[in-house]
Amino acid sequence: MGDDSTTTIRATFETREAADIAIEHLVQQHGISRPDIFIQSAGDRNTAGAVASGGDASHEEGARRDAPLGGEIEVSADVTISQVVAVRRCLGEAGALRISSH
């Protein structure tokens, strides 16, 4: 019988767009349930990332200036021990700046 214990993996991203892509890959490629994935500011300020991306960057006049670019985005996921290596690789491929497991 395999080890079905869980651990939490955390990854930080520079943009909300990269964090969203990572979440979609976790759900679609690794079958992680959305209620087991969390997204929040990596710091204590509200933020859409450290740099403009996606809809914040695609305006005719250039990047929006009203987007709260106050820091990095943290994605965390509760995964089984058997998923750790694949999930860490997935987060890295999506552009994670840092990845840690607890």
Side-chain angles (χ1 to χ4, degrees), residues 67-86:
L69 300 176
E72 298 167 349
I73 304 291
E74 179 183 89
V75 172
S76 60
D78 297 332
V79 302
T80 63
I81 297 299
S82 64
Q83 293 175 300
V84 169
V85 172

Side-chain angles (χ1 to χ4, degrees), residues 47-68:
T47 185
V51 296
S53 68
D56 292 334
S58 63
H59 291 280
E60 291 177 12
E61 303 86 37
R64 289 179 53 177
R65 299 196 195 311
D66 62 341

Side-chain angles (χ1 to χ4, degrees), residues 1-63:
M1 180 173 229
D3 184 358
D4 62 353
S5 59
T6 62
T7 190
T8 300
I9 295 182
R10 289 183 169 75
T12 56
F13 294 88
E14 191 171 41
T15 67
R16 176 63 188 243
E17 180 181 30
D20 287 341
I21 289 169
I23 291 168
E24 288 308 309
H25 289 181
L26 293 175
V27 171
Q28 295 175 11
Q29 296 173 359
H30 299 284
I32 297 172
S33 178
R34 286 190 189 272
D36 292 328
I37 302 172
F38 309 92
I39 187 168
Q40 64 185 17
S41 170
D44 58 357
R45 296 176 55 198
N46 183 28
T47 185
V51 296
S53 68
D56 292 334
S58 63
H59 291 280
E60 291 177 12
E61 303 86 37

